[in-house]
Amino acid sequence: MAGKGDNISVLWKIMQALDEEQVENGISEAMETLLKSIEAESAAVWIKNPENKHIYCIVSVGEDNLTGFSIEYGQGLVGEACDSTEMTSVSDAANDERFPAGKDEVSGIEMKNVVFVPMTLRKETVGCIEIINRAKSGEFSDEDKYIMHSLAGLIPMVIEEKGYNYAAQTEKKVIMSLRGVKKDYPSGMDVVHILKGVDLDVYENELLVILGESGCGKSTLLNIIGGMDSLTEGSITVDGKDFSHPTEKELVDFRRDSIGFIFQSYNLMPNLTALENVRFIAEICKNPGDPEEAIAKVGLTDRAGNYPSMMSGGQQQRVSIARAIVKNPRIILADEPTAALDFTTGQEVLVLIEELIASSKTSVVMVTHNVEIAKMANRVVRVRNGKISSIRINSWPMKAADIVW
């Protein structure tokens, strides 16, 4: 904690750091000085990009790393802080519903407490500073608040003066758009509202991970994207054309030609070999790939003649992936694809999914409970109580081989 006698010294160190020619390095040094002064574990600087309506983490210091993550305007606590002029704090994240199991919903960081200090420039909020896990409980001292607010005022001035611009992602083609999507199910004399107004785009060539607790509506959302369930209210467009209420034939064609499926339980036909499982799917598709090539891509050429009962869970899941990719689909839906697998085998499956996205225009929409897997996603969607509570963009996804859980 900075006392009255040394807060001037702390501010002087911060100002010296911000004089660094390389903007991110200077901000990083200034943030490290702040962390040491207020005795916190980690901190991040978020800036708003008005061009694409996203908020980017440009600097992250301390024990946890948030650099590369992004959220849409107004989403989550970061979004709220970047629209406010007042400091926002959560003193007990473990008992706050915005932090499932006491963790940040995307990064998996264990949250004890967190503080957001808005950064303003000419009376406009342009971003915020996030301070994670302060060691001491209770309110910040006036000296600590003075240092935090001073740094929050200095950073946007430095960014503007030095002409720093965050290089945002290139916009991707939208395959599917959901707007105001609701899904109700009858339950006796009542109606259960599963989805309560979902807005979501699925982009070409991305990994979109959907997180959420059991019963939140994420599997229902996946089923609607895949044409396995119909919406009650709202609209869906595919390649800009309305697909809200397709005919039965349109649904069959869509599922057959545009959607691949990877299930937790594999869903292989037990009386067919690995190659025959893949060939069966290829024979009913409009524009299939070569079944033997699909089997080779998942590393099972030597197991092509084996029946599912002769293969391990990981090998069966590889066949499931081969069966999905042989269709050359626009979107592959993956429902907890690693849940039934051990860590090593699960990681191998994730590497295959990563390679698939890198080598084609196919998108993968994955439902999972595993927050760690979200680190390899291009975007992460959190579903809570039938609504999307946050969407975050990871500008630098982790490699699947580096993920540990």
Coordinates of all heavy atoms in Angstrom, one line a residue, residues 12-58:
W12 N 6.0 9.0 -9.8 CA 7.2 9.4 -10.6 C 7.7 8.2 -11.4 O 8.0 8.3 -12.6 CB 8.3 9.9 -9.7 CG 9.6 10.3 -10.4 CD1 10.8 9.7 -10.3 CD2 9.8 11.3 -11.4 NE1 11.7 10.2 -11.1 CE2 11.1 11.2 -11.8 CE3 8.9 12.3 -12.0 CZ2 11.7 12.1 -12.8 CZ3 9.5 13.1 -12.9 CH2 10.8 13.0 -13.3
K13 N 7.8 7.0 -10.8 CA 8.2 5.8 -11.5 C 7.2 5.5 -12.7 O 7.7 5.1 -13.7 CB 8.3 4.6 -10.5 CG 9.4 4.8 -9.5 CD 9.4 3.6 -8.6 CE 10.5 3.7 -7.6 NZ 10.5 2.6 -6.6
I14 N 5.9 5.7 -12.4 CA 4.9 5.4 -13.4 C 5.1 6.3 -14.6 O 5.1 5.9 -15.8 CB 3.5 5.5 -12.8 CG1 3.2 4.3 -12.0 CG2 2.5 5.7 -13.9 CD1 1.9 4.4 -11.2
M15 N 5.4 7.6 -14.3 CA 5.5 8.6 -15.4 C 6.8 8.3 -16.2 O 6.8 8.5 -17.4 CB 5.5 10.0 -14.8 CG 4.2 10.4 -14.3 SD 4.2 12.0 -13.5 CE 4.4 13.1 -14.9
Q16 N 7.8 7.9 -15.5 CA 9.1 7.6 -16.2 C 8.9 6.4 -17.2 O 9.4 6.3 -18.3 CB 10.2 7.3 -15.2 CG 10.8 8.5 -14.6 CD 11.9 8.1 -13.6 OE1 11.8 7.2 -12.8 NE2 13.1 8.8 -13.8
A17 N 8.1 5.4 -16.7 CA 7.8 4.2 -17.5 C 7.0 4.6 -18.7 O 7.3 4.1 -19.8 CB 7.1 3.2 -16.6
L18 N 6.0 5.4 -18.5 CA 5.2 5.8 -19.7 C 5.9 6.6 -20.7 O 5.4 6.8 -21.8 CB 3.9 6.5 -19.1 CG 3.0 5.7 -18.3 CD1 1.8 6.5 -17.8 CD2 2.4 4.5 -19.2
D19 N 7.1 7.1 -20.4 CA 7.9 7.9 -21.3 C 8.6 7.0 -22.3 O 9.2 7.4 -23.2 CB 8.9 8.8 -20.6 CG 9.4 9.9 -21.4 OD1 8.6 10.5 -22.2 OD2 10.6 10.1 -21.4
E20 N 8.5 5.7 -22.0 CA 9.2 4.7 -22.9 C 8.6 4.8 -24.3 O 7.4 5.0 -24.5 CB 8.8 3.3 -22.4 CG 9.1 2.1 -23.3 CD 10.6 1.7 -23.3 OE1 11.2 1.8 -22.2 OE2 11.1 1.2 -24.3
E21 N 9.5 4.7 -25.3 CA 9.1 4.9 -26.7 C 8.1 3.8 -27.2 O 7.1 4.1 -27.9 CB 10.3 4.9 -27.6 CG 10.1 5.2 -29.1 CD 9.5 6.7 -29.2 OE1 9.9 7.6 -28.4 OE2 8.7 6.9 -30.2
Q22 N 8.4 2.6 -26.8 CA 7.5 1.5 -27.2 C 6.3 1.5 -26.2 O 6.4 1.3 -25.0 CB 8.2 0.1 -27.1 CG 7.7 -0.9 -28.1 CD 6.4 -1.5 -27.7 OE1 6.0 -1.6 -26.5 NE2 5.6 -1.8 -28.7
V23 N 5.1 1.8 -26.7 CA 3.9 2.0 -25.9 C 3.6 0.9 -24.9 O 3.4 1.1 -23.7 CB 2.7 2.3 -26.8 CG1 1.4 2.5 -25.9 CG2 2.9 3.6 -27.6
E24 N 3.5 -0.3 -25.5 CA 3.1 -1.5 -24.7 C 4.1 -1.7 -23.6 O 3.8 -2.1 -22.4 CB 2.9 -2.7 -25.5 CG 1.6 -2.6 -26.4 CD 1.7 -3.5 -27.6 OE1 2.7 -3.5 -28.3 OE2 0.7 -4.2 -27.8
N25 N 5.4 -1.6 -23.9 CA 6.5 -1.8 -22.9 C 6.3 -0.8 -21.7 O 6.4 -1.1 -20.5 CB 7.9 -1.7 -23.5 CG 8.2 -2.9 -24.3 OD1 7.5 -3.9 -24.2 ND2 9.3 -2.8 -25.1
G26 N 6.1 0.5 -22.1 CA 6.0 1.5 -21.1 C 4.8 1.3 -20.2 O 4.8 1.4 -19.0
I27 N 3.6 1.0 -20.8 CA 2.4 0.7 -20.0 C 2.6 -0.5 -19.1 O 2.2 -0.5 -18.0 CB 1.2 0.5 -20.9 CG1 0.9 1.8 -21.7 CG2 0.0 0.0 -20.1 CD1 -0.2 1.6 -22.7
S28 N 3.3 -1.5 -19.6 CA 3.6 -2.7 -18.9 C 4.4 -2.4 -17.6 O 4.1 -2.8 -16.5 CB 4.3 -3.8 -19.7 OG 4.6 -4.9 -19.0
E29 N 5.5 -1.6 -17.8 CA 6.3 -1.2 -16.6 C 5.5 -0.4 -15.6 O 5.7 -0.5 -14.4 CB 7.5 -0.4 -17.1 CG 8.6 -1.2 -17.9 CD 9.7 -0.4 -18.4 OE1 9.9 0.7 -17.8 OE2 10.4 -0.8 -19.3
A30 N 4.7 0.5 -16.1 CA 3.9 1.3 -15.3 C 2.9 0.5 -14.5 O 2.7 0.7 -13.3 CB 3.1 2.4 -16.1
M31 N 2.3 -0.5 -15.1 CA 1.4 -1.4 -14.4 C 2.1 -2.3 -13.4 O 1.5 -2.6 -12.3 CB 0.7 -2.3 -15.5 CG -0.3 -1.6 -16.4 SD -1.7 -0.8 -15.6 CE -2.6 -2.2 -15.2
E32 N 3.3 -2.7 -13.7 CA 4.1 -3.5 -12.7 C 4.3 -2.6 -11.5 O 4.3 -3.1 -10.3 CB 5.4 -4.0 -13.3 CG 5.1 -5.1 -14.3 CD 6.4 -5.5 -15.0 OE1 7.5 -4.9 -14.8 OE2 6.4 -6.4 -15.8
T33 N 4.6 -1.4 -11.7 CA 4.8 -0.5 -10.5 C 3.6 -0.3 -9.7 O 3.6 -0.3 -8.5 CB 5.3 0.9 -11.0 OG1 6.5 0.8 -11.8 CG2 5.5 1.9 -9.9
L34 N 2.4 -0.2 -10.4 CA 1.1 -0.1 -9.7 C 0.9 -1.4 -8.9 O 0.5 -1.3 -7.7 CB 0.0 0.1 -10.7 CG -1.4 0.0 -10.2 CD1 -1.7 1.2 -9.2 CD2 -2.5 0.0 -11.3
L35 N 1.1 -2.6 -9.5 CA 0.9 -3.9 -8.8 C 1.6 -3.9 -7.5 O 1.1 -4.3 -6.5 CB 1.3 -5.0 -9.7 CG 0.3 -5.6 -10.7 CD1 0.7 -6.9 -11.3 CD2 -1.1 -5.8 -10.1
K36 N 2.9 -3.6 -7.6 CA 3.8 -3.6 -6.4 C 3.3 -2.7 -5.4 O 3.3 -3.0 -4.2 CB 5.2 -3.3 -6.8 CG 6.2 -3.4 -5.7 CD 7.6 -3.2 -6.2 CE 8.6 -3.3 -5.0 NZ 10.0 -3.0 -5.5
S37 N 2.8 -1.5 -5.8 CA 2.4 -0.5 -4.8 C 1.1 -0.9 -4.1 O 1.0 -0.7 -2.9 CB 2.1 0.8 -5.6 OG 1.5 1.8 -4.7
I38 N 0.1 -1.5 -4.8 CA -1.1 -1.8 -4.2 C -1.2 -3.3 -3.7 O -2.3 -3.7 -3.2 CB -2.3 -1.5 -5.1 CG1 -2.3 -2.3 -6.4 CG2 -2.3 0.0 -5.4 CD1 -3.5 -2.1 -7.3
E39 N -0.2 -4.0 -4.0 CA -0.1 -5.4 -3.6 C -1.2 -6.3 -4.2 O -2.0 -6.8 -3.4 CB -0.1 -5.5 -2.1 CG 1.1 -4.8 -1.4 CD 1.1 -4.9 0.1 OE1 0.6 -5.9 0.6 OE2 1.5 -3.9 0.8
A40 N -1.2 -6.4 -5.5 CA -2.2 -7.2 -6.2 C -1.4 -8.2 -7.1 O -0.2 -8.0 -7.4 CB -3.1 -6.4 -7.0
E41 N -2.1 -9.3 -7.5 CA -1.4 -10.4 -8.3 C -1.3 -10.0 -9.7 O -0.2 -10.3 -10.3 CB -2.3 -11.7 -8.1 CG -2.2 -12.3 -6.8 CD -3.0 -13.6 -6.7 OE1 -3.5 -14.0 -7.8 OE2 -3.1 -14.2 -5.7
S42 N -2.3 -9.5 -10.3 CA -2.3 -9.2 -11.8 C -3.1 -8.0 -12.1 O -3.9 -7.5 -11.4 CB -3.0 -10.4 -12.5 OG -2.4 -11.7 -12.1
A43 N -2.8 -7.5 -13.3 CA -3.6 -6.3 -13.8 C -3.6 -6.3 -15.4 O -2.7 -6.9 -16.0 CB -3.0 -5.0 -13.3
A44 N -4.6 -5.7 -15.9 CA -4.7 -5.6 -17.4 C -5.2 -4.3 -17.8 O -5.9 -3.6 -17.0 CB -5.6 -6.7 -17.9
V45 N -4.8 -3.9 -19.0 CA -5.3 -2.6 -19.6 C -6.2 -3.0 -20.8 O -5.7 -3.6 -21.7 CB -4.1 -1.7 -20.0 CG1 -4.7 -0.5 -20.7 CG2 -3.3 -1.3 -18.9
W46 N -7.4 -2.5 -20.8 CA -8.4 -2.7 -21.9 C -8.6 -1.4 -22.6 O -8.8 -0.4 -21.9 CB -9.7 -3.2 -21.3 CG -9.6 -4.5 -20.6 CD1 -9.3 -4.7 -19.3 CD2 -9.8 -5.8 -21.1 NE1 -9.3 -6.1 -19.0 CE2 -9.7 -6.8 -20.1 CE3 -10.2 -6.3 -22.4 CZ2 -9.8 -8.1 -20.3 CZ3 -10.4 -7.6 -22.6 CH2 -10.2 -8.6 -21.6
I47 N -8.6 -1.4 -23.9 CA -9.0 -0.2 -24.7 C -10.1 -0.5 -25.6 O -10.2 -1.6 -26.2 CB -7.8 0.4 -25.4 CG1 -7.2 -0.6 -26.4 CG2 -6.7 0.9 -24.5 CD1 -6.2 0.0 -27.4
K48 N -10.9 0.5 -25.9 CA -12.1 0.4 -26.8 C -11.7 0.7 -28.2 O -10.9 1.6 -28.4 CB -13.2 1.3 -26.3 CG -13.8 1.0 -25.0 CD -14.7 2.1 -24.4 CE -16.0 2.1 -25.1 NZ -17.0 3.0 -24.5
N49 N -12.2 -0.1 -29.1 CA -12.0 0.2 -30.6 C -13.3 0.5 -31.2 O -14.1 -0.3 -31.4 CB -11.4 -1.0 -31.2 CG -11.0 -0.7 -32.7 OD1 -11.6 0.1 -33.4 ND2 -10.0 -1.4 -33.2
P50 N -13.6 1.8 -31.4 CA -14.9 2.3 -31.9 C -15.2 1.8 -33.3 O -16.3 1.7 -33.8 CB -14.8 3.8 -31.9 CG -13.4 4.1 -31.9 CD -12.7 3.0 -31.2
E51 N -14.1 1.4 -34.1 CA -14.3 0.9 -35.5 C -15.1 -0.4 -35.5 O -16.0 -0.6 -36.4 CB -13.0 0.8 -36.2 CG -12.3 2.2 -36.4 CD -11.0 2.0 -37.2 OE1 -10.7 0.9 -37.6 OE2 -10.3 3.0 -37.3
N52 N -14.7 -1.3 -34.6 CA -15.4 -2.6 -34.7 C -16.2 -3.0 -33.4 O -16.6 -4.1 -33.2 CB -14.4 -3.8 -35.0 CG -13.4 -3.9 -33.9 OD1 -13.4 -3.2 -32.9 ND2 -12.5 -4.8 -34.1
K53 N -16.3 -2.0 -32.5 CA -17.1 -2.1 -31.3 C -16.6 -3.2 -30.4 O -17.4 -4.0 -29.9 CB -18.6 -2.3 -31.6 CG -19.2 -1.2 -32.5 CD -19.2 0.2 -31.8 CE -19.8 1.2 -32.6 NZ -19.8 2.6 -32.0
H54 N -15.3 -3.3 -30.3 CA -14.7 -4.3 -29.4 C -13.8 -3.6 -28.4 O -13.2 -2.6 -28.6 CB -14.0 -5.4 -30.1 CG -14.9 -6.4 -30.7 ND1 -15.5 -6.3 -31.9 CD2 -15.4 -7.6 -30.2 CE1 -16.2 -7.3 -32.2 NE2 -16.2 -8.1 -31.2
I55 N -13.5 -4.3 -27.2 CA -12.6 -3.8 -26.2 C -11.5 -4.8 -26.1 O -11.7 -6.0 -25.9 CB -13.3 -3.7 -24.9 CG1 -14.6 -2.8 -25.0 CG2 -12.4 -3.1 -23.8 CD1 -15.6 -2.9 -23.8
Y56 N -10.2 -4.4 -26.3 CA -9.1 -5.3 -26.4 C -8.2 -5.1 -25.1 O -7.9 -4.0 -24.7 CB -8.3 -5.0 -27.6 CG -9.0 -5.3 -28.9 CD1 -9.8 -4.3 -29.5 CD2 -8.9 -6.6 -29.5 CE1 -10.5 -4.6 -30.7 CE2 -9.6 -6.9 -30.6 CZ -10.4 -5.9 -31.3 OH -11.0 -6.2 -32.4
C57 N -7.7 -6.2 -24.7 CA -6.6 -6.2 -23.6 C -5.3 -6.0 -24.3 O -4.8 -6.9 -25.0 CB -6.7 -7.5 -22.8 SG -5.4 -7.6 -21.6
I58 N -4.7 -4.9 -24.2 CA -3.4 -4.6 -24.9 C -2.2 -4.9 -24.0 O -1.1 -5.2 -24.5 CB -3.3 -3.2 -25.3 CG1 -3.4 -2.2 -24.2 CG2 -4.4 -2.9 -26.4 CD1 -3.0 -0.8 -24.5

